[in-house]
């Protein structure tokens, strides 16, 4: 239903227009003869989390796999303006960081080694990670609060800690597009929010791994602009809707004067939990039976519109909103 | 507290490679002196011609081959287990060893007698075995693009069992065609695995092939570890999974084939050594690969010493490696986790 695709085309949730990181146009993909995704179009912008929502089997994972070029697809996918199919695997690995539902690390290894894997796309075949890279990996572990476990066996970690460790790997990978496949599915409540908060910080370009790296002056300018927008009360928006263009600083609020930023990234996340999606995503792509039924902007779209769109995917639901610190939070309830 | 204990355990395992290197040297010393014709240090130093002769032409080549062969089997076992993501995927479990021995037996019977022909034929046999095992496993859904997590990495071991019996059948056919007067006994004895037939002249070629393969594996250690990650994830970490797996399997098979074409099938070392190494280090860093090799060397040297001293006539070395290996395999199965390797 193409007339539904951009039912809220007049959105204006971003003060300065961030550039498009991923542009997907009429993408179709599937396994063998069975076509699962049909004519899906959307874009993911820098500095925001784009959520993919839908019931099981609607094609969320298929979409991510197609973007990782593990499935043949038709249609066009532009990553930073370049067609995906024109890139070499190595270029793709440098630009995209993929975080599976559960990392498939099957053998014992120290946590720091898992993080160091993130440097593989920039290392030569026989090259070993340098001292600076090891330092950076430790910084990334510090950023996710896992520095004390650096030498611990990855297999002995809890699921939540494993995901944090994989996020640290994503930080060192420094890719421009992050693809996450249901990162919250096996996590408990605090870890879910921790992961999504960290993800928000990563894509907003806060360089979490080291405070004194060299970055281009344009990035710093952009950084100061973003940080100054919202440093007055760093913890005010914990667990809150993060759409819009404000940079939060929940993680390292004390060191904001030293904050240096990388150019910003975009994230495309499939999520099981629509509540979590409404809280953290600046843009939601709703999928049903392989078709994109709507694209929502939780910060600005009207409640009835979103309620109707979500009901179409999840069955009848109610959406309630409340204001806190001047921003709207949304609660999803079953229609009782 | 818990992490403190972990760190203590870590520090305790740090000298493991050095200790096992020392142990290996000790085993070498025993291996050089022990045997049907006992050597003594004093007589050798005194310049006894017979003693020197035995040392140079028999003991040194034999010890060298035991150390290198054990090292190669241990290290290759580590590589196969890691790349196949399965703690049981040692070379003799997934059919590489039996494939290589069938190839070598084929060369002994039908090809002109040369070291290169035997090694190449063993290599081809080993590769064929790996190829068939991989093909069967991916048909069962264990590998490749359509990897089905439910099928798991266990399928490579099942496929290996099938390949193993296939290779055994081929060997049986070869034995039927062999000349019972001259060839049959030698093939039979060689299959049982022994370091008896080693002479100085045969050593350099096999050693060179083996060392080249091992060097490649040690250099590619980081990639081997990356291959232990899920295929999709590894690919997005920039690993050319298909090509890299092929290259590493080629090198590991070459290493195994070069050993097997001299010694015959030596069972369980490729399973045992990496497991002990992992239990000792609990990581999979380069030192674990090194330790797998060193422990393999110790095991084979020790087994070989027993093989030539335990009874009046020389015994096949596999008897002793199996005596060690079979209970250990049982322990692995009962523990169900392959020495802490698998999270599931």
């Amino acid at each position: 239903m193409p007339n539904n695709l951009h039912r809220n085309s007049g959105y204006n949730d971003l003060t300065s227009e961030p550039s498009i990181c991923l542009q997907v146009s009429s993408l179709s993909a599937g396994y063998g003869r069975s076509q699962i995704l049909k004519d899906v179009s959307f874009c993911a912008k820098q500095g925001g989390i784009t959520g993919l929502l839908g019931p099981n089997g609607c094609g969320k994972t298929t979409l991510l796999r197609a973007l990782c070029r593990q499935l043949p697809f038709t249609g066009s996918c532009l990553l930073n303006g370049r067609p995906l199919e024109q890139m070499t695997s190595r270029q793709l690995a440098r630009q995209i960081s993929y975080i599976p539902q559960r990392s498939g690390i099957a053998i014992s290894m120290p946590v720091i080694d898992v993080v160091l894997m993130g440097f593989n796309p920039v290392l030569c075949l026989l090259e070993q990670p340098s001292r600076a890279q090891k330092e950076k990996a430790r910084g990334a572990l510090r950023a996710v609060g896992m520095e004390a476990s650096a030498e611990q066996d990855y297999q002995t970690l809890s699921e939540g800690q494993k995901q944090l460790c994989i996020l640290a790997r994503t930080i060192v990978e420094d890719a421009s597009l992050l693809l996450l496949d249901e990162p919250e599915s096996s996590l408990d409540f605090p870890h879910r929010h921790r992961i999504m908060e960290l993800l928000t910080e990563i894509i907003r370009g806060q360089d979490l791994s080291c405070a004194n790296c060299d970055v281009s002056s344009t990035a710093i300018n952009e950084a100061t602009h973003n940080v100054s927008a919202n440093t007055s009360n760093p913890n005010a928006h914990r667990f809150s809707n993060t759409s819009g263009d404000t940079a939060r600083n929940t993680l390292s609020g004390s060191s904001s004067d030293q904050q240096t930023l990388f150019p910003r990234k975009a994230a495309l996340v499939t999520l099981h939990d629509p509540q979590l999606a409404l809280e953290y995503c600046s843009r939601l792509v709703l999928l049903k039976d392989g078709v994109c039924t709507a694209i929502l902007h939780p910060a600005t779209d009207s409640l009835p519109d979103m309620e109707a769109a979500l009901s179409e995917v999840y069955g009848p639901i109610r959406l309630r909103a409340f204001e806190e610190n001047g921003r709207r939070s949304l609660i999803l309830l079953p229609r009782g | 507290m818990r992490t403190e204990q972990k760190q203590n355990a870590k520090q305790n395992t740090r000298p493991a490679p050095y200790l096992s290197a020392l142990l290996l040297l000790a085993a070498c010393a025993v291996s050089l002196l022990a045997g049907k014709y006992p050597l003594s240090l004093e007589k050798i130093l005194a310049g006894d011609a017979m003693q020197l002769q035995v040392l140079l032409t028999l003991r040194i080549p034999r010890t060298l081959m035991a150390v290198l062969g054990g090292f190669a089997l241990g290290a290759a076992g580590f590589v196969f287990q890691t790349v196949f993501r399965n703690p049981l995927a040692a070379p003799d479990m997934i059919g590489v060893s039996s494939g290589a021995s069938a190839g070598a037996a084929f060369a002994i019977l039908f090809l002109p007698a040369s070291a290169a022909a035997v090694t190449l034929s063993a290599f081809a046999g080993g590769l064929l075995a790996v190829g068939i095992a991989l093909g069967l496993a991916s048909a069962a859904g264990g590998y490749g693009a359509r990897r089905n997590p439910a099928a798991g990495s266990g399928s490579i071991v099942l496929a290996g069992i099938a390949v193993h019996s296939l290779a055994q059948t081929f060997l049986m056919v070869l034995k039927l065609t062999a000349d019972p007067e001259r060839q049959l006994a030698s093939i039979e004895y060689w299959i049982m695995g022994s370091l008896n037939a080693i002479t100085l002249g045969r050593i350099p070629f096999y050693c060179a092939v083996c060392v080249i393969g091992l060097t490649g594996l040690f250099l590619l250690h980081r990639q081997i570890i990356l291959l232990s990650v899920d295929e999709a994830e590894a690919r997005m970490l920039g690993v050319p999974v298909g090509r890299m797996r092929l290259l590493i399997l080629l090198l590991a098979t070459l290493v195994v084939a070069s050993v097997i074409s001299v010694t015959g099938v030596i069972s369980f070392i490729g399973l045992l050594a990496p497991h002990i190494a992992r239990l000792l280090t609990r990581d999979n860093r380069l030192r674990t690969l090194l330790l797998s090799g060193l422990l393999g060397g110790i095991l084979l040297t020790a087994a070989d010493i027993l093989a030539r001293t335990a009874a009046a006539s020389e015994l096949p070395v596999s008897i002793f490696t199996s005596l060690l290996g079979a209970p250990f395999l049982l322990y692995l199965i009962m523990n169900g986790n392959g020495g802490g390797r698998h999270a599931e």
Side-chain angles (χ1 to χ4, degrees):
Chain A
M1 41 194 93
N3 56 335
N4 265 351
L5 276 178
H6 295 286
R7 60 167 68 171
N8 299 296
S9 53
Y11 72 94
N12 188 21
D13 58 340
L14 302 165
T15 47
S16 63
E17 194 65 24
S19 48
I20 290 170
C21 179
L22 176 74
Q23 174 86 57
V24 174
S25 321
S26 46
L27 176 91
S28 299
Y31 302 87
R33 235 176 267 169
S34 69
Q35 200 181 42
I36 292 175
L37 281 179
K38 294 148 203 140
D39 206 21
V40 173
S41 302
F42 67 94
C43 66
K45 294 193 173 182
Q46 288 181 345
I49 301 179
T50 303
L52 283 171
L53 272 184
N56 285 342
C58 68
K60 289 177 295 199
T61 303
T62 309
L63 179 53
L64 290 195
R65 291 193 62 180
L67 292 177
C68 290
R69 287 205 315 211
Q70 287 166 31
L71 288 176
F73 61 83
T74 58
S76 101
C77 294
L78 297 177
L79 180 57
N80 296 322
R82 273 186 76 187
L84 218 53
E85 55 271 26
Q86 282 179 13
M87 300 168 112
T88 65
S89 313
R90 204 167 158 81
Q91 286 170 335
L92 196 73
R94 284 187 194 183
Q95 299 237 10
I96 295 182
S97 175
Y98 171 65
I99 299 160
Q101 226 173 82
R102 282 163 162 236
S103 179
I105 294 172
I107 59 175
S108 294
M109 63 177 86
V111 166
I112 188 82
D113 287 18
V114 175
V115 180
L116 285 171
M117 283 180 174
F119 287 114
N120 189 56
V122 294
L123 288 176
C124 295
L125 187 62
L126 304 179
E127 201 180 347
Q128 295 299 320
S130 67
R131 192 172 293 254
Q133 285 171 326
K134 283 182 183 160
E135 211 34 63
K136 216 175 160 193
R138 282 199 186 270
L141 278 176
R142 195 177 310 132
V144 300
M146 296 264 302
E147 201 195 9
S149 314
E151 293 296 325
Q152 200 182 329
D153 181 359
Y154 177 83
Q155 302 297 350
T156 62
L157 301 179
S158 70
E159 281 305 318
Q161 289 175 314
K162 283 183 183 176
Q163 280 289 16
L164 287 173
C165 173
I166 298 298
L167 264 191
R169 186 174 78 187
T170 298
I171 293 173
V172 307
E173 272 187 82
D174 198 29
S176 62
L177 176 65
L178 277 54
L179 299 177
L180 293 91
D181 193 2
E182 297 187 356
E184 91 292 18
S185 61
S186 56
L187 303 185
D188 55 13
F189 179 80
H191 272 115
R192 287 185 172 197
H193 288 281
R194 183 94 179 93
I195 293 279
M196 294 305 284
E197 279 174 2
L198 275 170
L199 185 63
T200 310
E201 286 169 37
I202 293 169
I203 59 165
R204 286 193 193 289
Q206 287 158 1
D207 176 15
L208 298 158
S209 55
C210 59
N212 48 3
C213 286
D214 294 329
V215 286
S216 66
S217 57
T218 52
I220 292 174
N221 287 339
E222 200 182 3
T224 33
H225 166 71
N226 287 325
V227 172
S228 63
N230 193 22
T231 43
S232 52
N233 189 0
N235 289 320
H237 303 302
R238 237 173 204 279
F239 289 56
S240 66
N241 191 314
T242 63
S243 62
D245 200 27
T246 52
R248 296 181 314 155
N249 204 3
T250 54
L251 188 86
S252 48
S254 56
S255 64
S256 62
D257 51 329
Q258 287 189 341
Q259 200 83 54
T260 54
L261 306 180
F262 279 138
R264 291 188 296 171
K265 310 161 193 298
L268 180 61
V269 185
T270 72
L271 287 164
H272 234 109
D273 181 355
Q275 186 70 57
L276 208 63
L278 288 169
E279 268 174 28
Y280 289 98
C281 297
S282 57
R283 175 187 282 259
L284 291 177
V285 179
L286 300 191
L287 288 178
K288 192 186 182 188
D289 301 328
V291 178
C292 175
T293 58
I295 291 175
L296 304 179
H297 304 86
T300 50
D301 286 355
S302 75
L303 275 194
D305 278 358
M306 284 200 280
E307 205 171 65
L310 287 166
S311 295
E312 196 180 327
V313 173
Y314 286 111
I317 52 107
R318 288 177 294 159
L319 205 56
R320 292 289 172 266
F322 66 92
E323 294 272 326
E324 198 183 53
N325 294 325
R327 54 174 47 234
R328 186 172 71 166
S329 289
L330 298 166
I331 297 177
L332 197 69
L333 299 162
R335 177 151 283 169
Chain B
M1 188 63 197
R2 214 171 128 224
T3 48
E4 210 171 280
Q5 277 172 0
K6 283 224 163 68
Q7 273 164 5
N8 281 344
K10 191 126 211 119
Q11 272 155 12
N12 290 341
T13 65
R14 194 142 290 166
Y18 305 107
L19 284 179
S20 40
L22 280 178
L23 205 59
L24 184 58
L25 282 178
C28 284
V30 176
S31 167
L32 285 175
L33 299 178
K36 286 282 100 65
Y37 185 85
L39 302 183
S40 78
L41 209 54
E42 295 126 50
K43 283 186 188 164
I44 294 171
L45 289 178
D48 184 331
M50 186 61 185
Q51 295 255 332
L52 270 178
Q53 179 76 7
V54 171
L55 181 72
L56 286 179
T57 57
L58 295 177
R59 297 290 161 78
I60 287 182
R62 187 163 183 163
T63 304
L64 193 67
M65 202 59 219
V67 171
L68 188 66
F71 190 96
L73 289 175
F78 176 91
V79 173
F80 279 115
Q81 288 173 10
T82 308
V83 171
F84 285 127
R85 305 157 53 84
N86 190 309
L88 294 179
D92 43 329
M93 303 293 275
I94 57 168
V96 180
S97 299
S98 42
S101 63
F106 179 80
I108 290 175
L109 284 180
F110 300 115
L111 298 180
S114 79
V118 176
T119 307
L120 280 178
S121 181
F123 180 49
L127 274 188
L128 199 64
V130 178
I132 296 174
L134 263 178
L136 285 175
S138 69
Y143 286 90
R146 295 242 219 135
R147 188 171 183 278
N148 171 11
S153 48
S155 53
I156 189 71
V157 173
L158 294 181
I161 291 170
V163 172
H164 178 73
S165 28
L166 208 66
Q168 291 301 321
T169 314
F170 184 65
L171 257 180
M172 224 181 289
V173 173
L174 285 180
K175 279 194 242 168
L176 280 176
T177 61
D179 176 359
E181 298 274 304
R182 293 177 295 117
Q183 292 166 321
L184 187 59
S186 71
I187 287 183
E188 195 64 62
Y189 194 72
W190 172 79
I191 284 168
M192 279 192 276
S194 167
L195 295 163
N196 196 20
I198 290 150
T199 55
L200 204 55
R202 297 180 67 188
I203 289 259
F205 175 77
Y206 296 111
C207 283
V209 173
C210 192
V211 167
I212 289 169
L214 281 172
T215 310
L217 291 178
F218 272 85
L219 286 174
L220 288 169
H221 171 261
R222 203 168 54 80
Q223 303 294 324
I224 293 170
I225 297 302
L226 277 164
L227 281 181
S228 78
V229 176
D230 243 0
E231 193 168 329
E233 205 181 333
R235 192 163 287 151
M236 294 316 285
L237 286 169
V239 184
V241 174
R243 269 176 295 157
M244 190 55 67
R245 185 188 284 153
L246 184 68
L247 173 65
I248 286 167
L249 288 181
L250 275 176
L251 286 172
T253 308
L254 184 64
V255 165
V256 172
S258 73
V259 174
I260 281 186
S261 41
V262 189
T263 64
V265 178
I266 294 171
S267 42
F268 283 116
I269 284 186
L271 178 73
L272 219 54
H275 272 292
I276 303 173
R278 284 204 184 91
L279 282 174
L280 286 175
T281 64
R282 295 214 175 271
D283 61 24
N284 280 285
R285 291 183 168 160
L286 197 63
R287 63 182 183 140
T288 313
L289 176 57
L290 180 68
L291 194 59
S292 303
L294 291 173
L295 289 169
I298 294 172
L299 283 171
L300 187 54
T301 313
D304 182 48
I305 294 170
L306 288 174
R308 60 189 135 106
T309 53
S313 66
E314 172 145 355
L315 300 171
V317 70
S318 272
I319 290 181
F320 295 96
T321 56
S322 299
L323 276 179
L324 274 172
F328 187 77
L329 184 61
L330 260 172
Y331 161 80
L332 281 185
I333 291 167
M334 306 220 318
N335 257 12
N337 68 352
R341 250 175 72 82
H342 278 255
E344 292 90 1

